[in-house]
Amino acid sequence: MHLWKTVAIVGVGLIGGSIGLALRQRKLAQRVVGIGRRQETLDQARKLKAIHHGTTELADGVRDADLIIVCTPVNAIVDHVVACAAYSSGALVTDAGSTKSHIVQSLDEQLPRGVRFVGSHPLAGSEKTGPQHARADLFEGRVVVVTPTRRTARSDAQAIGQFWEALGARVVSMTPAAHDAAVAATSHTPHVVAAALAAATHTKDLPLVAGGWLDTTRIAGGDEELWRQILLDNRENTLAALERFQASLSDFRAALEAANGAKLKQLLGKGRKRREEASA
Amino acid sequence: MHLWKTVAIVGVGLIGGSIGLALRQRKLAQRVVGIGRRQETLDQARKLKAIHHGTTELADGVRDADLIIVCTPVNAIVDHVVACAAYSSGALVTDAGSTKSHIVQSLDEQLPRGVRFVGSHPLAGSEKTGPQHARADLFEGRVVVVTPTRRTARSDAQAIGQFWEALGARVVSMTPAAHDAAVAATSHTPHVVAAALAAATHTKDLPLVAGGWLDTTRIAGGDEELWRQILLDNRENTLAALERFQASLSDFRAALEAANGAKLKQLLGKGRKRREEASA
């Protein structure tokens, strides 16, 4: 039995495309409709079997949906959810944005009573974009944060949790504010650090980069417009997390300046242990 | 036909073990002898077919070698090469140290005339250590920097280049000083940045780490004693490269503080382009 009749995905890129692929391969929805700006991308998603049908008309795409997932860039999510709510007839709506406080608060204020929205953030991004990089297993074993508020019906939060779990994800429930503070440290600051490291490397030194540099800078390959939006949206938390990183780096630098091997080893050991704790 | 009769590997860990595996699988040496401090590690390397024979006695191990590769931690290399030279009869000697200036200069000063040493650095390290992580293909397609000096016979530098090429590597020849300045930016600073980022992440936030944080901090899992030695040995270059990184990070931070989206996007774009240049 299908969990959903018609699922509408607004924005069929890496995340939206992967949701569609997973829904279809796991036979979780009778019909998956993709909504996008460019017919070409929708045709590509249809050929990849991420969606059954694609349309550039939001109203058409969401009309019959019982579940809508908005997978557009952070700055577009609020408007898209508001439009989805206007055109759909009682669908449950979620998003996949990397930030939550502003999005969820705006929607709590703007959405008419009775519209059912629950914020989500699948921690499954990549430096790659577009449906051609979509994978049916993208969410398997990954964490998805769901951010209900006082306005959210418990049954809606549960349904959205079940949706992500059906795609193989592990669901964590948090407030939007707690989510944004945590991902500032675990995602947004690493992005800034990776980009700053790549940008600081002279072109003449690039022939000597190896696995270490390539790993450390991998996420710097991400789309700068998407990340501009994320970083500005979560600006204060990211600045606070950046400050903690800069203080940590200053400790390493001071130990190296003083040629204090014992202190340097202690700091390196702290980093190694924290790394091992995370991957355990 | 074998390229070498007897190859002695001093220090049979990730790098030394991988050299042994590659030599044996590619049938480049008649006999591979491993020299180490612990018989247990040597027995393990022998079972993995990385070496034919293992000994804890340096004099025994290197006596018949025509090629010796010293794969011990940076601080031990000079003493090991000097000892190898004393016990061997005319072998060509190289190392696999991550730094080159101090090692090569010390050996140029200390080695008796007629001892043939050429410095090497295979850019194929990993956060993993020990022969159990050794791989016969570790050097395939990787860069190995060879650092001859005025004291080096051209034929010796060529022979060491051929050795690494026979393992599948791409050989680049540089001065020890140019090598150390470049790897300060491409390897040693990324290590400090990764460790500082891991150390700055609160334990409470670890449940929300995903691919980005894990990639960016991967090398922080490396052995802190090996890295203490590398960073202190290449201290001045690393401090200079760290300063460039900190300046780059300050640009990002200033743009974020000013909520200057255009500048932020420009900086992110610079990082993305440099990243793409490197992996192209």
Side-chain angles (χ1 to χ4, degrees):
Chain A
M1 209 196 84
H2 295 113
L3 262 173
W4 293 279
K5 210 167 121 290
T6 300
V7 177
I9 301 170
V10 184
V12 192
L14 172 75
I15 297 289
S18 296
I19 291 171
L21 281 176
L23 285 171
R24 292 191 57 179
Q25 287 193 15
R26 290 168 176 249
K27 302 193 191 305
L28 296 166
Q30 267 176 29
R31 189 171 165 78
V32 179
V33 178
I35 298 109
R37 276 185 310 178
R38 296 169 59 224
Q39 192 60 47
E40 192 191 332
T41 309
L42 294 167
D43 291 344
Q44 193 182 11
R46 198 166 42 78
K47 277 183 200 135
L48 294 165
K49 297 195 186 299
I51 56 176
H52 292 97
H53 173 70
T55 173
T56 56
E57 296 296 323
L58 188 75
D60 286 349
V62 304
R63 186 167 294 126
D64 299 323
D66 44 346
L67 176 67
I68 303 170
I69 309 117
V70 175
C71 303
T72 51
V74 158
N75 284 4
I77 291 174
V78 168
D79 286 351
H80 281 143
V81 172
V82 168
C84 288
Y87 295 125
S88 88
S89 41
L92 182 57
V93 188
T94 189
D95 74 321
S98 297
T99 58
K100 293 271 75 74
S101 292
H102 293 152
I103 290 169
V104 172
Q105 198 187 332
S106 291
L107 289 170
D108 269 4
E109 288 165 10
Q110 288 184 49
L111 285 177
R113 260 189 187 284
V115 173
R116 300 151 62 212
F117 171 80
V118 186
S120 299
H121 175 206
L123 305 185
S126 162
E127 74 282 8
K128 295 170 186 149
T129 52
Q132 69 275 22
H133 294 113
R135 286 168 25 205
D137 65 354
L138 188 69
F139 308 102
E140 281 178 25
R142 301 301 190 92
V143 168
V144 175
V145 180
V146 173
T147 59
T149 65
R150 279 174 302 174
R151 197 181 172 285
T152 315
R154 181 189 287 238
S155 57
D156 290 343
Q158 281 174 342
I160 291 300
Q162 282 163 4
F163 162 71
W164 292 112
E165 280 168 1
L167 304 189
R170 204 152 49 78
V171 171
V172 174
S173 184
M174 299 174 81
T175 65
H179 165 274
D180 283 7
V183 295
T186 62
S187 170
H188 306 169
T189 290
H191 194 91
V192 172
V193 166
L197 183 62
T201 309
H202 291 320
T203 301
K204 71 170 171 55
D205 291 333
L206 293 182
L208 290 205
V209 306
W213 190 93
L214 290 170
D215 281 345
T216 311
T217 60
R218 186 168 331 274
I219 51 177
D223 182 279
E224 57 256 38
E225 173 53 25
L226 296 180
W227 280 96
R228 179 189 73 80
Q229 295 181 17
I230 292 167
L231 294 171
L232 288 181
D233 191 85
N234 199 22
R235 185 171 153 271
E236 286 180 23
N237 286 312
T238 303
L239 283 169
L242 264 178
E243 197 168 314
R244 290 204 304 276
F245 166 71
Q246 287 177 307
S248 172
L249 189 67
S250 292
D251 291 343
F252 279 81
R253 189 189 171 97
L256 195 54
E257 268 172 353
N260 184 341
K263 180 69 183 171
L264 193 57
K265 187 170 171 178
Q266 182 227 312
L267 292 168
L268 290 165
K270 184 180 172 190
R272 180 182 58 72
K273 281 175 209 128
R274 199 59 53 86
R275 179 66 178 65
E276 286 168 0
E277 235 179 293
S279 40
Chain B
M1 207 195 85
H2 294 113
L3 261 174
W4 293 279
K5 210 167 120 291
T6 299
V7 177
I9 301 170
V10 184
V12 191
L14 173 73
I15 297 288
S18 296
I19 291 171
L21 281 176
L23 285 170
R24 292 192 57 180
Q25 286 193 16
R26 290 168 177 250
K27 302 193 190 308
L28 296 166
Q30 268 176 29
R31 189 172 165 77
V32 179
V33 178
I35 298 108
R37 276 185 309 179
R38 296 168 59 224
Q39 192 60 48
E40 193 190 333
T41 309
L42 295 166
D43 291 344
Q44 193 182 10
R46 199 166 42 77
K47 277 183 198 133
L48 294 165
K49 298 195 185 300
I51 56 176
H52 291 98
H53 173 72
T55 173
T56 57
E57 297 296 324
L58 187 75
D60 286 348
V62 303
R63 187 168 294 125
D64 299 323
D66 44 347
L67 175 67
I68 303 170
I69 308 116
V70 175
C71 303
T72 51
V74 158
N75 283 4
I77 290 173
V78 169
D79 286 352
H80 281 142
V81 172
V82 168
C84 287
Y87 294 126
S88 87
S89 41
L92 182 58
V93 188
T94 190
D95 74 323
S98 298
T99 58
K100 293 271 73 76
S101 292
H102 293 151
I103 291 168
V104 172
Q105 198 187 333
S106 291
L107 289 170
D108 269 3
E109 288 165 10
Q110 288 183 49
L111 285 177
R113 262 189 186 283
V115 172
R116 299 150 62 212
F117 171 80
V118 186
S120 300
H121 175 205
L123 304 185
S126 161
E127 73 282 7
K128 294 170 184 150
T129 52
Q132 69 275 21
H133 294 112
R135 286 167 27 204
D137 65 354
L138 189 68
F139 307 103
E140 281 177 25
R142 300 301 190 93
V143 168
V144 175
V145 180
V146 173
T147 59
T149 65
R150 281 175 301 174
R151 197 181 172 284
T152 314
R154 181 188 288 238
S155 56
D156 290 342
Q158 280 174 341
I160 290 301
Q162 281 164 4
F163 162 72
W164 292 111
E165 280 169 1
L167 303 189
R170 204 152 49 80
V171 171
V172 175
S173 185
M174 300 173 80
T175 65
H179 166 273
D180 283 7
V183 293
T186 62
S187 171
H188 306 170
T189 290
H191 194 92
V192 172
V193 167
L197 183 62
T201 309
H202 292 320
T203 301
K204 71 171 171 53
D205 291 332
L206 293 181
L208 291 206
V209 306
W213 190 92
L214 290 169
D215 281 344
T216 311
T217 61
R218 187 169 329 276
I219 52 178
D223 183 279
E224 58 256 38
E225 173 54 24
L226 296 180
W227 278 95
R228 180 189 72 81
Q229 294 182 18
I230 292 167
L231 294 172
L232 287 181
D233 191 86
N234 199 23
R235 186 173 153 270
E236 287 180 23
N237 285 312
T238 304
L239 284 169
L242 262 178
E243 197 167 315
R244 289 203 305 277
F245 167 71
Q246 287 177 306
S248 172
L249 189 67
S250 292
D251 291 344
F252 280 81
R253 190 190 170 95
L256 195 54
E257 269 171 352
N260 185 341
K263 179 70 182 170
L264 193 58
K265 188 169 172 180
Q266 182 226 312
L267 292 168
L268 291 165
K270 184 181 172 189
R272 179 181 58 72
K273 281 174 209 128
R274 198 60 52 84
R275 179 65 178 64
E276 285 168 0
E277 237 180 291
S279 41

Coordinates of all heavy atoms in Angstrom, one line a residue, chain A residues 163-234:
Chain A
F163 N 7.5 10.3 7.0 CA 7.9 10.5 5.6 C 9.4 10.4 5.4 O 9.9 9.6 4.6 CB 7.5 11.9 5.1 CG 8.2 12.4 3.8 CD1 7.9 11.8 2.6 CD2 9.1 13.4 3.9 CE1 8.6 12.2 1.5 CE2 9.8 13.8 2.7 CZ 9.5 13.2 1.5
W164 N 10.2 11.1 6.2 CA 11.7 11.0 6.1 C 12.2 9.6 6.5 O 13.1 9.0 5.9 CB 12.4 12.1 6.9 CG 12.1 13.4 6.4 CD1 11.4 14.4 7.0 CD2 12.6 14.0 5.2 NE1 11.4 15.6 6.3 CE2 12.2 15.4 5.1 CE3 13.4 13.5 4.2 CZ2 12.5 16.2 4.1 CZ3 13.7 14.4 3.1 CH2 13.3 15.7 3.1
E165 N 11.6 9.0 7.5 CA 12.0 7.6 7.9 C 11.7 6.6 6.8 O 12.5 5.7 6.6 CB 11.2 7.2 9.2 CG 11.9 7.8 10.4 CD 11.1 7.7 11.7 OE1 10.0 7.1 11.7 OE2 11.6 8.2 12.8
A166 N 10.6 6.9 6.1 CA 10.3 6.0 5.0 C 11.3 6.0 3.9 O 11.5 5.1 3.1 CB 8.9 6.3 4.4
L167 N 12.1 7.2 3.8 CA 13.2 7.3 2.8 C 14.5 6.8 3.4 O 15.5 6.9 2.8 CB 13.3 8.8 2.4 CG 12.1 9.5 1.8 CD1 12.6 10.9 1.3 CD2 11.5 8.7 0.7
G168 N 14.4 6.2 4.6 CA 15.6 5.6 5.2 C 16.4 6.5 6.2 O 17.4 6.1 6.7
A169 N 15.8 7.7 6.5 CA 16.5 8.7 7.3 C 16.3 8.4 8.8 O 15.3 7.7 9.2 CB 16.1 10.1 6.9
R170 N 17.1 9.0 9.6 CA 16.9 9.0 11.1 C 16.4 10.4 11.4 O 17.1 11.4 11.1 CB 18.3 8.8 11.7 CG 18.3 8.2 13.1 CD 19.6 7.4 13.4 NE 20.8 8.1 13.0 CZ 21.3 9.0 13.7 NH1 20.8 9.4 14.9 NH2 22.5 9.6 13.3
V171 N 15.3 10.5 12.1 CA 14.7 11.8 12.3 C 15.0 12.3 13.7 O 14.9 11.6 14.7 CB 13.1 11.7 12.1 CG1 12.5 13.0 12.6 CG2 12.9 11.5 10.6
V172 N 15.4 13.6 13.8 CA 15.7 14.3 15.1 C 14.7 15.5 15.1 O 14.6 16.2 14.2 CB 17.1 14.7 15.1 CG1 17.4 15.5 16.4 CG2 18.1 13.5 15.1
S173 N 14.1 15.7 16.3 CA 13.2 16.8 16.4 C 13.8 17.9 17.3 O 14.3 17.6 18.3 CB 11.8 16.3 17.0 OG 10.9 17.4 17.1
M174 N 13.8 19.1 16.8 CA 14.5 20.2 17.5 C 13.7 21.5 17.3 O 12.9 21.6 16.3 CB 15.9 20.5 17.0 CG 16.8 19.3 17.2 SD 18.4 19.7 16.3 CE 19.2 20.7 17.6
T175 N 13.9 22.5 18.1 CA 13.3 23.8 17.8 C 14.1 24.4 16.6 O 15.3 24.1 16.5 CB 13.5 24.8 19.0 OG1 14.8 25.0 19.2 CG2 12.8 24.2 20.3
P176 N 13.5 25.3 15.9 CA 14.3 25.9 14.8 C 15.5 26.6 15.3 O 16.6 26.6 14.6 CB 13.2 26.9 14.2 CG 11.9 26.3 14.5 CD 12.1 25.7 15.9
A177 N 15.4 27.3 16.4 CA 16.6 28.0 17.0 C 17.7 27.1 17.3 O 18.9 27.3 17.0 CB 16.2 28.9 18.2
A178 N 17.4 26.0 18.0 CA 18.5 25.0 18.3 C 19.1 24.4 17.1 O 20.3 24.2 17.0 CB 17.9 23.9 19.2
H179 N 18.3 24.1 16.1 CA 18.8 23.6 14.8 C 19.8 24.6 14.2 O 20.9 24.2 13.8 CB 17.6 23.4 13.8 CG 18.1 23.2 12.4 ND1 18.3 24.3 11.6 CD2 18.5 22.1 11.7 CE1 18.8 23.8 10.4 NE2 18.9 22.5 10.5
D180 N 19.4 25.8 14.1 CA 20.3 26.8 13.5 C 21.6 27.0 14.2 O 22.6 27.2 13.6 CB 19.5 28.2 13.3 CG 18.5 28.1 12.2 OD1 18.3 27.0 11.6 OD2 17.9 29.2 11.8
A181 N 21.5 27.0 15.5 CA 22.8 27.2 16.3 C 23.7 26.0 16.1 O 24.9 26.1 15.9 CB 22.4 27.3 17.8
A182 N 23.1 24.8 16.0 CA 24.0 23.6 15.8 C 24.6 23.5 14.4 O 25.8 23.3 14.3 CB 23.1 22.3 16.1
V183 N 23.7 23.7 13.4 CA 24.3 23.6 12.0 C 25.2 24.8 11.7 O 26.1 24.6 10.8 CB 23.2 23.5 10.9 CG1 22.4 22.1 11.1 CG2 22.3 24.7 10.9
A184 N 25.1 25.9 12.4 CA 26.2 26.9 12.2 C 27.5 26.4 12.5 O 28.5 26.7 11.8 CB 25.9 28.1 13.2
A185 N 27.6 25.5 13.5 CA 28.9 24.9 13.9 C 29.3 23.7 13.0 O 30.4 23.5 12.7 CB 28.9 24.4 15.4
T186 N 28.3 22.9 12.7 CA 28.6 21.6 12.0 C 28.5 21.7 10.5 O 29.0 20.8 9.8 CB 27.6 20.5 12.5 OG1 26.2 20.9 12.1 CG2 27.6 20.3 14.0
S187 N 27.9 22.8 10.0 CA 27.8 22.8 8.5 C 28.2 24.2 7.9 O 29.0 24.3 7.0 CB 26.4 22.5 8.1 OG 26.1 22.8 6.8
H188 N 27.7 25.3 8.5 CA 27.9 26.6 7.9 C 29.4 27.1 8.1 O 30.0 27.6 7.2 CB 26.9 27.6 8.4 CG 25.5 27.0 8.1 ND1 24.3 27.6 8.6 CD2 25.0 25.9 7.5 CE1 23.3 26.9 8.3 NE2 23.7 25.9 7.6
T189 N 29.9 26.9 9.4 CA 31.3 27.3 9.6 C 32.2 26.4 8.8 O 33.2 26.9 8.2 CB 31.6 27.3 11.1 OG1 30.8 28.4 11.7 CG2 33.0 27.4 11.4
P190 N 32.1 25.1 8.8 CA 32.9 24.3 7.9 C 32.9 24.8 6.5 O 34.0 24.8 5.8 CB 32.3 22.9 8.0 CG 31.8 22.8 9.4 CD 31.2 24.2 9.6
H191 N 31.8 25.2 6.0 CA 31.7 25.7 4.6 C 32.6 26.9 4.4 O 33.4 27.0 3.5 CB 30.3 26.0 4.1 CG 30.2 26.2 2.7 ND1 29.9 25.1 1.8 CD2 30.4 27.2 1.9 CE1 30.0 25.5 0.6 NE2 30.3 26.8 0.6
V192 N 32.5 27.9 5.3 CA 33.3 29.1 5.3 C 34.8 28.7 5.4 O 35.6 29.3 4.6 CB 32.9 30.1 6.4 CG1 33.9 31.3 6.4 CG2 31.5 30.6 6.2
V193 N 35.1 27.8 6.3 CA 36.5 27.4 6.5 C 37.1 26.8 5.2 O 38.2 27.1 4.8 CB 36.6 26.5 7.7 CG1 38.0 25.8 7.7 CG2 36.3 27.3 9.0
A194 N 36.3 25.9 4.6 CA 36.7 25.2 3.4 C 36.9 26.2 2.3 O 37.9 26.1 1.5 CB 35.7 24.1 3.0
A195 N 36.0 27.1 2.1 CA 36.1 28.1 1.0 C 37.3 29.0 1.3 O 38.0 29.4 0.4 CB 34.8 28.9 0.9
A196 N 37.5 29.5 2.6 CA 38.6 30.4 2.9 C 40.0 29.6 2.6 O 40.9 30.3 2.2 CB 38.5 30.8 4.3
L197 N 40.0 28.4 2.9 CA 41.2 27.6 2.7 C 41.5 27.4 1.2 O 42.7 27.6 0.8 CB 41.1 26.2 3.4 CG 42.4 25.3 3.3 CD1 43.6 26.0 4.0 CD2 42.1 24.0 3.9
A198 N 40.5 27.1 0.5 CA 40.7 27.0 -1.0 C 41.2 28.3 -1.6 O 42.1 28.4 -2.3 CB 39.4 26.5 -1.7
A199 N 40.5 29.4 -1.2 CA 40.8 30.7 -1.7 C 42.2 31.2 -1.3 O 42.8 31.9 -2.1 CB 39.8 31.7 -1.2
A200 N 42.7 30.7 -0.2 CA 44.0 31.1 0.3 C 45.2 30.4 -0.3 O 46.3 30.7 -0.1 CB 44.1 31.0 1.8
T201 N 44.8 29.3 -1.0 CA 45.9 28.5 -1.6 C 46.3 29.1 -3.0 O 45.5 29.3 -3.9 CB 45.4 27.0 -1.8 OG1 44.9 26.6 -0.6 CG2 46.5 26.1 -2.3
H202 N 47.6 29.4 -3.1 CA 48.1 30.0 -4.3 C 48.0 29.0 -5.5 O 48.2 27.8 -5.3 CB 49.6 30.4 -4.2 CG 49.8 31.5 -3.3 ND1 49.0 32.6 -3.2 CD2 50.8 31.7 -2.4 CE1 49.5 33.4 -2.3 NE2 50.6 32.9 -1.8
T203 N 47.6 29.5 -6.6 CA 47.5 28.6 -7.8 C 48.8 27.9 -8.1 O 48.8 26.7 -8.4 CB 47.2 29.5 -9.1 OG1 45.9 30.2 -8.8 CG2 47.0 28.7 -10.3
K204 N 49.9 28.5 -7.8 CA 51.2 27.8 -8.1 C 51.4 26.6 -7.2 O 52.2 25.7 -7.5 CB 52.4 28.8 -7.9 CG 52.7 29.2 -6.5 CD 54.0 30.0 -6.4 CE 54.1 30.6 -5.0 NZ 54.1 29.7 -3.8
D205 N 50.7 26.6 -6.0 CA 50.9 25.4 -5.1 C 50.0 24.3 -5.4 O 50.1 23.2 -4.9 CB 50.7 25.9 -3.7 CG 51.8 26.8 -3.2 OD1 53.0 26.7 -3.7 OD2 51.6 27.6 -2.3
L206 N 49.0 24.5 -6.3 CA 48.0 23.5 -6.6 C 48.5 22.1 -7.0 O 47.9 21.1 -6.7 CB 46.9 24.0 -7.5 CG 46.0 25.2 -7.0 CD1 45.0 25.6 -8.0 CD2 45.3 24.8 -5.7
P207 N 49.6 22.1 -7.8 CA 50.1 20.8 -8.2 C 50.5 19.9 -7.1 O 50.6 18.7 -7.2 CB 51.4 21.1 -9.1 CG 51.1 22.5 -9.6 CD 50.3 23.2 -8.5
L208 N 50.7 20.5 -5.9 CA 51.1 19.6 -4.7 C 49.9 19.4 -3.8 O 50.1 18.9 -2.6 CB 52.3 20.3 -3.9 CG 53.6 20.3 -4.6 CD1 54.7 20.3 -3.6 CD2 53.8 19.1 -5.6
V209 N 48.7 19.6 -4.2 CA 47.6 19.3 -3.3 C 47.4 17.7 -3.4 O 47.6 17.1 -4.4 CB 46.2 20.0 -3.6 CG1 46.4 21.5 -3.6 CG2 45.6 19.5 -4.9
A210 N 47.0 17.1 -2.3 CA 46.7 15.7 -2.3 C 45.4 15.5 -1.5 O 44.6 16.4 -1.3 CB 47.9 15.0 -1.7
G211 N 45.2 14.2 -1.1 CA 44.0 13.9 -0.4 C 43.5 14.8 0.7 O 42.4 15.1 0.9
G212 N 44.5 15.2 1.5 CA 44.2 16.1 2.7 C 43.5 17.4 2.3 O 42.4 17.7 2.7
W213 N 44.2 18.1 1.4 CA 43.6 19.4 0.9 C 42.3 19.2 0.2 O 41.3 19.9 0.4 CB 44.6 20.0 0.0 CG 44.3 21.5 -0.4 CD1 44.7 22.6 0.2 CD2 43.5 21.9 -1.5 NE1 44.3 23.7 -0.5 CE2 43.5 23.3 -1.5 CE3 42.8 21.3 -2.5 CZ2 42.8 24.1 -2.4 CZ3 42.0 22.0 -3.5 CH2 42.1 23.4 -3.4
L214 N 42.2 18.1 -0.6 CA 41.0 17.8 -1.4 C 39.8 17.5 -0.5 O 38.7 18.0 -0.7 CB 41.2 16.7 -2.4 CG 42.2 17.1 -3.6 CD1 42.5 15.9 -4.4 CD2 41.5 18.2 -4.5
D215 N 40.1 16.7 0.6 CA 39.0 16.5 1.6 C 38.6 17.7 2.3 O 37.4 18.0 2.4 CB 39.5 15.5 2.6 CG 39.5 14.0 2.1 OD1 38.8 13.8 1.1 OD2 40.1 13.2 2.8
T216 N 39.6 18.5 2.8 CA 39.3 19.6 3.6 C 38.6 20.7 2.9 O 37.8 21.5 3.5 CB 40.6 20.2 4.2 OG1 41.4 19.1 4.8 CG2 40.4 21.2 5.3
T217 N 38.8 20.8 1.5 CA 38.1 21.9 0.8 C 37.0 21.4 -0.1 O 36.4 22.2 -0.8 CB 39.2 22.5 -0.2 OG1 39.6 21.5 -1.1 CG2 40.3 23.2 0.5
R218 N 36.6 20.1 0.1 CA 35.6 19.5 -0.9 C 34.3 20.4 -0.9 O 33.8 20.7 -2.0 CB 35.2 18.1 -0.5 CG 34.3 17.4 -1.5 CD 34.1 15.9 -1.3 NE 35.3 15.2 -0.7 CZ 36.3 14.8 -1.4 NH1 36.4 14.9 -2.7 NH2 37.3 14.2 -0.8
I219 N 33.8 20.8 0.2 CA 32.5 21.5 0.2 C 32.6 22.9 -0.4 O 31.6 23.5 -0.7 CB 31.8 21.5 1.6 CG1 32.8 22.0 2.7 CG2 31.3 20.1 1.9 CD1 32.1 22.1 4.0
A220 N 33.8 23.4 -0.5 CA 34.0 24.7 -1.1 C 33.6 24.7 -2.6 O 33.4 25.7 -3.2 CB 35.5 25.2 -1.1
G221 N 33.4 23.5 -3.2 CA 32.9 23.4 -4.5 C 31.4 23.6 -4.7 O 30.9 23.6 -5.8
G222 N 30.7 23.9 -3.6 CA 29.3 24.1 -3.6 C 28.9 25.4 -4.3 O 29.7 26.3 -4.4
D223 N 27.6 25.5 -4.7 CA 27.1 26.7 -5.4 C 27.2 28.0 -4.5 O 26.6 28.0 -3.4 CB 25.7 26.4 -5.8 CG 25.1 27.5 -6.7 OD1 24.6 28.5 -6.1 OD2 25.2 27.4 -7.9
E224 N 27.8 29.0 -5.0 CA 28.0 30.2 -4.1 C 26.7 31.0 -3.8 O 26.6 31.6 -2.8 CB 29.1 31.1 -4.6 CG 28.9 31.6 -6.0 CD 29.8 30.9 -7.0 OE1 30.0 29.7 -6.9 OE2 30.3 31.6 -8.0
E225 N 25.8 30.9 -4.8 CA 24.5 31.6 -4.5 C 23.7 30.9 -3.4 O 23.1 31.6 -2.5 CB 23.7 31.7 -5.8 CG 22.3 32.3 -5.7 CD 22.3 33.7 -5.0 OE1 23.3 34.4 -5.0 OE2 21.2 34.0 -4.4
L226 N 23.6 29.6 -3.5 CA 22.9 28.9 -2.4 C 23.5 29.1 -1.1 O 22.8 29.4 -0.1 CB 23.0 27.3 -2.7 CG 22.3 26.8 -3.9 CD1 22.4 25.3 -4.0 CD2 20.8 27.2 -3.9
W227 N 24.9 29.1 -1.0 CA 25.6 29.3 0.3 C 25.6 30.8 0.7 O 25.5 31.0 1.9 CB 27.0 28.8 0.2 CG 26.9 27.3 0.4 CD1 26.9 26.3 -0.6 CD2 26.8 26.6 1.7 NE1 26.7 25.1 0.0 CE2 26.7 25.2 1.4 CE3 26.7 27.0 3.0 CZ2 26.5 24.3 2.4 CZ3 26.6 26.1 4.0 CH2 26.5 24.7 3.7
R228 N 25.5 31.7 -0.2 CA 25.3 33.1 0.2 C 24.0 33.3 1.0 O 24.0 33.9 2.1 CB 25.3 34.0 -1.0 CG 25.1 35.5 -0.8 CD 24.9 36.3 -2.0 NE 23.5 36.1 -2.6 CZ 22.4 36.6 -2.2 NH1 22.4 37.5 -1.2 NH2 21.3 36.3 -2.7
Q229 N 23.0 32.6 0.5 CA 21.7 32.7 1.1 C 21.7 32.1 2.5 O 21.2 32.6 3.5 CB 20.6 32.1 0.2 CG 20.4 32.8 -1.1 CD 19.3 32.2 -1.9 OE1 18.5 31.4 -1.5 NE2 19.3 32.5 -3.2
I230 N 22.3 30.9 2.6 CA 22.3 30.1 3.8 C 23.1 30.9 4.9 O 22.6 31.1 6.0 CB 23.0 28.8 3.6 CG1 22.1 27.9 2.8 CG2 23.3 28.1 5.0 CD1 22.7 26.6 2.3
L231 N 24.3 31.4 4.5 CA 25.1 32.1 5.5 C 24.5 33.4 5.9 O 24.6 33.8 7.1 CB 26.5 32.4 4.9 CG 27.3 31.1 4.6 CD1 28.6 31.5 3.8 CD2 27.7 30.4 5.9
L232 N 23.9 34.2 5.0 CA 23.2 35.4 5.5 C 22.0 35.1 6.3 O 21.7 35.8 7.3 CB 22.8 36.3 4.3 CG 23.9 36.9 3.5 CD1 23.4 37.8 2.3 CD2 24.8 37.8 4.4
D233 N 21.3 34.1 6.0 CA 20.1 33.7 6.8 C 20.5 33.3 8.2 O 19.7 33.6 9.1 CB 19.3 32.6 6.1 CG 18.0 32.3 6.7 OD1 17.0 33.0 6.3 OD2 17.8 31.5 7.6
N234 N 21.6 32.6 8.3 CA 22.0 32.1 9.7 C 23.3 32.9 10.1 O 24.2 32.3 10.7 CB 22.3 30.6 9.6 CG 22.3 30.0 11.0 OD1 21.7 30.5 11.9 ND2 23.0 28.9 11.1

